[in-house]
Amino acid sequence: MAYRTFITRILEEKNAQYEAEVHHQKSLVLENIRAQEEERKRIAVMIHDDVGNRLNILSLWLNNLDTKGDELIRKNIAAQMSSLIDAARTISHSLYPVNLESVGLVLYIEELMANLSNRINISLNVSPKYKKKNIFIEVQLYRIIQEFTTNVLKHSEATRVWIYIKDNPDNLSVVISDNGKSFEYEAVKKGMGIKNIESRVKSMNAAHKWKNILNKGSRLIIKIPYPNESSYQDSPD
């Protein structure tokens, strides 16, 4: 009996140590992502609000100039200014979804779809019961969708992407799939694309599963438990 008690205590201590280490690792991942997002947000807001606004003001001034014989120069400068404004907006958007908090996840995904419409067909299906989530959750979901579509465009040769978002009684389900050539998970799991997606999944305490069929497409299934969402109420992002 004494030996059994001793062994049981050792096992319990080891389990406790393992759980503490897992919790510590999750905390490190979460803090790392929070820090990254905060820095991205700072730079994106600076580009969006400062550089973008200054370029817009310069563009307005340029359009009001009386250039007379220098019309060709004015047009060239205006074209370059327009390109710079678009570039500043694109950089800001890629760094951090600055307006996501005000417009919401669904509209931001629709904007992404519109921007990619000339490259791939993306469809979005959101359950009517969907309610706006904590900004940290919505930013991570947007980043995952953005990363998934980027990987599809780079590697999969897909023509379609499907996004499903559904509020369930105890979790939020998100399914992203494509009809491309897919990939073998073990061969690419160390790549930055997969790592970025899975790090963001972990930061939400969510469960996920990849379902890939070579030459038929890839599917990512994510389930985010509602009870854990409250832990992000004080998150800066």
Side-chain angles (χ1 to χ4, degrees), residues 76-94:
N76 287 334
I77 295 173
Q80 291 296 322
M81 195 70 67
S82 178
S83 295
L84 283 171
I85 291 170
D86 290 340
R89 186 180 296 114
T90 300
I91 293 169
S92 172
H93 191 86
S94 63

Side-chain angles (χ1 to χ4, degrees), residues 7 17-18 23 52 99 125 129 149 159 173 194 222 225 234-235:
I7 294 299
Q17 289 175 0
Y18 175 75
H23 179 73
N99 297 319
N125 189 311
K129 295 181 180 180
T149 53
T159 58
S173 295
I194 300 296
I222 304 170
D234 297 326
S235 167

Side-chain angles (χ1 to χ4, degrees), residues 214-230:
L214 290 179
N215 299 316
K216 290 192 176 181
S218 302
R219 178 177 295 176
L220 173 62
I221 302 169
I222 304 170
K223 290 192 176 181
I224 307 163
Y226 289 142
N228 291 329
E229 187 178 348
S230 60

Side-chain angles (χ1 to χ4, degrees), residues 93-94 97 100 103-124 141-150 153 161 163 176:
H93 191 86
S94 63
L100 190 146
V103 305
L105 175 65
V106 175
L107 287 178
Y108 232 68
I109 294 173
E110 289 177 350
E111 182 183 6
L112 176 67
M113 292 164 57
N115 291 337
L116 298 176
S117 61
N118 63 334
R119 301 180 65 186
I120 195 166
N121 186 331
I122 305 177
S123 61
L124 174 65
L141 284 176
Y142 178 77
R143 287 291 191 210
I144 288 170
I145 292 169
Q146 191 179 42
E147 187 75 49
F148 188 99
T149 53
T150 297
L153 290 170
V161 171
I163 304 167
I176 318 167

Side-chain angles (χ1 to χ4, degrees), residues 38-86:
E38 185 63 22
E39 181 62 12
R40 283 171 176 257
K41 183 177 182 180
R42 184 186 68 79
I43 298 171
V45 169
M46 182 176 65
I47 294 172
H48 183 272
D49 293 348
D50 187 16
V51 178
N53 286 340
R54 288 172 185 265
L55 287 171
N56 278 315
I57 291 170
L58 286 173
S59 180
L60 288 172
W61 285 354
L62 183 64
N63 289 330
N64 289 327
L65 286 178
D66 182 10
T67 55
K68 295 183 180 178
D70 297 328
E71 182 62 21
L72 181 59
I73 295 174
R74 189 196 71 78
K75 285 183 177 180
N76 287 334
I77 295 173
Q80 291 296 322
M81 195 70 67
S82 178
S83 295
L84 283 171
I85 291 170
D86 290 340

